[in-house]
Amino acid sequence: MQGFRGAHPYNSAGKHTVCVNGDLSVPASATNAILKLSSPTNQYNATEIFQELFQAGSTIAQRAQGGTRTVQGTYRINGNLCLPADPAKRSQVRTVQILTHGVGLEKSYWDIAPGYSHVDAAATAGYATFAYDRLGVGQSDHPDPIQQVQTFLEVEILHGLATLFRAKKIDGHGLTNIIGVGHSFGSILQVGANSKYPKDFDGVVLTAFTNTLSNLPYTVLANNPAIAALNQPSRFGQLPYGYLVHNDAIAIQEVYFRYPYFDSTIFQNQVDRKDTYTLGEVFTNGGVLTPATEYTGPLDVVTGVYDYSFCLGNCLYPDNQLVKVKPSLYPAVNNTKAEVYLVPDNGHYLNAHTSAGKLDGYDISSSQVPPQPWLPTNVSLVTLDALAEIPDSHVGKYDVIHIGLLVLVAGDDPLPLLRNVIRLLIRSLKKMVCNGGLVDVRAHQFSILDEIAHPWTHMHFLSVGELNKNVENSDGDAKEWWDLYTIAIDEARNGASTRMGMVVALRLPLPPSNHMFLLNLIRIRE
């Protein structure tokens, strides 16, 4: 693989990509701060540094500044380049996402497990990804943690990676467009790169981020920074004492995970994979967060509603904090190119929460279900008898439940079905009651008007567009599906339409996390 040393192939968690892992040599030169700090001598000393840094009236940050110096070199950066596994889709990829992880993480954050993989999701959508270990993390170089591993140098390394892709010195697949995707501290670095090098990136996605760092002291203290070499000597025993890690599982949950919206196995996975950060990063954290006044490309901001690091656990207080990012940090971006998404039921580690988009579908038979390889990585379709007892593993698992096309033959006893529906809704009903009580419940019936029936039908056809991209040029069952879809399109053009009469039951006023129960009845009109 072009550009990599020690390259070896592998597949992502969900097997939707072909990847190569290896080292890149990235030249970088930065104006770093001279920090008048000594490496901690022991954990007591390290803890005292943070106590003093965040105490009332502290001046340690000012006293630590000793001017600037140029730091330069060629740094070993380890990364994973992944492209869609499907050869036809891979041949058409022109855009790569450069993924920059946050503090305490390493590159595997972007590819945690099947169903928890940004890498798989990006490949399904037709993107290549390059996830790398930041300087001082994982398999990348670990230089001086105070004088070298600072935000200024890390911005230059991100710029260096973009430059290598622009110059086509990595991979040889003709990747011509670059999207910068950051998580948390990685988003801070992304803003810094956009500010200094506005032409490096064609698009930007900032996750687990808002426009202010004022809440970060609470995060750092809650993490209980521990000297990495003492906390996990088997992994980090060779590192200087200026390298730190989050102390334990409780410190990680406190800041990054919101219960009950995560799986305990995934949580433990992230605890086991915790990685290093440095005193140099802590003391230069805000040095690169300056407005990107000349960047004019697309901008997306995606953050969990319960993000603690940037919102102290409530990104809606006193209003939506994400909408402030564009005017304060990206003033030149046109409003039509900027979007924000506040992810419900999610904390700071977006990719590790269950609400990062997991959909399970159930039917009495799988005979008309598309094969799993056709589906997005976060979707699974399996069989379930709605009249049989619902497995305990399904009860309390889902936040949103959509039940449609239930058919009972005359004379059947509906009670088993109704009991199962109620069991499935237990979690949502409990949340409704806990959010101020069940004040008012109403049922509303909606019918699709004749004048919007055809637009409604075309909207549903568009919703399977992603699936059709996967099957259009395939054989066998895939061709049969495509032919059926083409016939349905032709019938719609000749006047056929679908109607969904919806019955929606909801509590009023709505709780902060809106949960709805929809029963869809479909009829066809010619």
Side-chain angles (χ1 to χ4, degrees), residues 4 10 19 26 71 74 84 93 109 117 126 159 173 198 220 232 240 243 291 414 436 462 466 492 496:
F4 287 93
Y10 74 100
C19 304
V26 182
V71 175
T74 298
V93 172
Y109 167 77
S117 174
H159 166 62
H173 281 82
V220 176
Q232 289 197 351
Y243 279 96
L462 289 173
E466 186 66 34

Side-chain angles (χ1 to χ4, degrees), residues 378-410:
N378 61 336
V379 175
S380 64
L381 302 177
V382 296
T383 57
L384 180 72
D385 185 352
L387 295 176
E389 185 175 355
I390 296 294
D392 290 340
S393 59
H394 292 21
V395 179
K397 177 179 180 180
Y398 301 106
D399 292 302
V400 178
I401 300 169
H402 176 203
I403 301 174
L405 292 178
L406 290 176
V407 179
L408 285 174
V409 178

Side-chain angles (χ1 to χ4, degrees), residues 53-299:
L53 179 61
F54 298 125
Q55 75 183 25
S58 174
T59 61
I60 187 174
Q62 292 76 25
R63 289 186 283 112
Q65 300 302 318
T68 62
R69 67 155 60 97
T70 298
V71 175
Q72 60 186 359
T74 298
Y75 299 91
R76 177 174 54 86
I77 299 297
N78 186 269
N80 302 332
L81 179 64
C82 297
L83 293 98
D86 176 69
K89 183 174 289 188
R90 185 165 65 247
S91 67
Q92 298 178 21
V93 172
R94 295 295 178 267
T95 301
V96 62
Q97 299 180 5
I98 298 181
L99 310 178
T100 306
H101 63 80
V103 161
L105 296 165
E106 36 84 46
K107 61 182 179 292
S108 70
Y109 167 77
W110 303 103
D111 187 32
I112 298 172
Y116 294 84
S117 174
H118 177 98
V119 171
D120 279 326
T124 301
Y127 294 98
T129 56
F130 178 73
Y132 69 101
D133 286 332
R134 291 188 291 99
L135 188 67
V137 177
Q139 296 172 276
S140 293
D141 275 342
H142 287 69
D144 187 298
I146 298 176
Q147 305 302 338
Q148 290 199 54
V149 187
Q150 299 180 6
T151 56
F152 309 107
L153 181 55
E154 292 185 71
V155 164
E156 298 301 327
I157 287 175
L158 180 52
H159 166 62
L161 290 170
T163 300
L164 289 174
F165 274 103
R166 287 283 183 212
K168 296 181 172 57
K169 293 184 178 180
I170 301 176
D171 99 281
H173 281 82
L175 301 173
T176 56
N177 302 313
I178 304 175
I179 298 176
V181 184
H183 172 263
S184 187
F185 180 75
S187 292
I188 295 174
L189 299 179
Q190 185 63 55
V191 174
N194 296 143
S195 177
K196 192 170 183 181
Y197 304 104
K199 302 299 183 182
D200 272 2
F201 295 89
D202 301 293
V204 173
V205 182
L206 307 176
T207 71
F209 178 79
T210 63
N211 67 318
T212 176
L213 307 183
S214 59
N215 297 321
L216 289 186
Y218 300 98
T219 292
V220 176
L221 287 175
N223 284 145
N224 291 328
I227 294 173
L230 301 179
N231 184 269
Q232 289 197 351
S234 61
R235 294 179 63 197
F236 309 121
Q238 78 284 4
L239 295 179
Y241 280 12
Y243 279 96
L244 309 166
V245 291
H246 305 325
N247 186 53
D248 55 22
I250 294 175
I252 291 173
Q253 181 189 340
E254 184 76 36
V255 177
Y256 302 132
F257 285 83
R258 185 65 174 230
Y259 184 80
Y261 308 115
F262 60 87
D263 183 278
S264 60
T265 303
I266 299 299
F267 172 75
Q268 191 59 49
N269 171 289
Q270 293 298 279
V271 171
D272 294 341
R273 291 184 176 183
K274 72 179 182 180
D275 218 289
T276 52
Y277 55 103
T278 72
L279 274 175
E281 291 171 325
V282 172
F283 274 80
T284 63
N285 201 9
V288 299
L289 193 66
T290 57
T293 56
E294 297 181 34
Y295 173 81
T296 59
L299 169 69

Side-chain angles (χ1 to χ4, degrees), residues 39-48 227 230 241:
S39 184
T41 56
N42 52 47
Q43 185 59 53
Y44 298 114
N45 183 199
T47 299
E48 191 279 329
I227 294 173
L230 301 179
Y241 280 12

